[in-house]
Amino acid sequence: MSNLAKLTITPGGPWRLYQHAAVPGWEMLGTVQRGDEIGALARATATGNLVMMRAGAVSMLNQRKAAAALAAAEKTDGGT
């Protein structure tokens, strides 16, 4: 899927549906949808990069769009 697709982020969403266990070095934030793909939203603790994880596969997200979508989702969700 292209990085041009809209991102929909659900902070605190059911990320374990897409990534069974938390991975050391990654902060699990919720779920992310990009076009018809959906997965766990994670942030690398070392770099701060936001990615989509699905069954162990990691896909880099457009960082500008992901940060904006996460900020908007957290604002809508009351900052949780």
Side-chain angles (χ1 to χ4, degrees):
M1 176 60 59
S2 167
N3 264 340
L4 300 177
K6 177 184 175 187
L7 295 179
T8 303
I9 291 179
T10 305
W15 61 267
R16 287 187 187 272
L17 293 175
Y18 310 101
Q19 178 65 32
H20 180 66
V23 180
W26 295 90
E27 178 186 6
M28 305 309 289
L29 302 174
T31 58
V32 59
Q33 183 171 357
R34 178 177 61 188
D36 61 353
E37 297 177 310
I38 189 166
L41 176 66
R43 177 184 288 133
T45 54
T47 63
N49 285 339
L50 294 166
V51 300
M52 178 191 303
M53 289 186 169
R54 294 180 300 156
V58 178
S59 300
M60 183 67 74
L61 298 170
N62 178 305
Q63 296 302 294
R64 181 189 59 78
K65 288 173 68 172
L70 180 58
E74 287 176 338
K75 183 177 179 181
T76 301
D77 196 34
T80 59

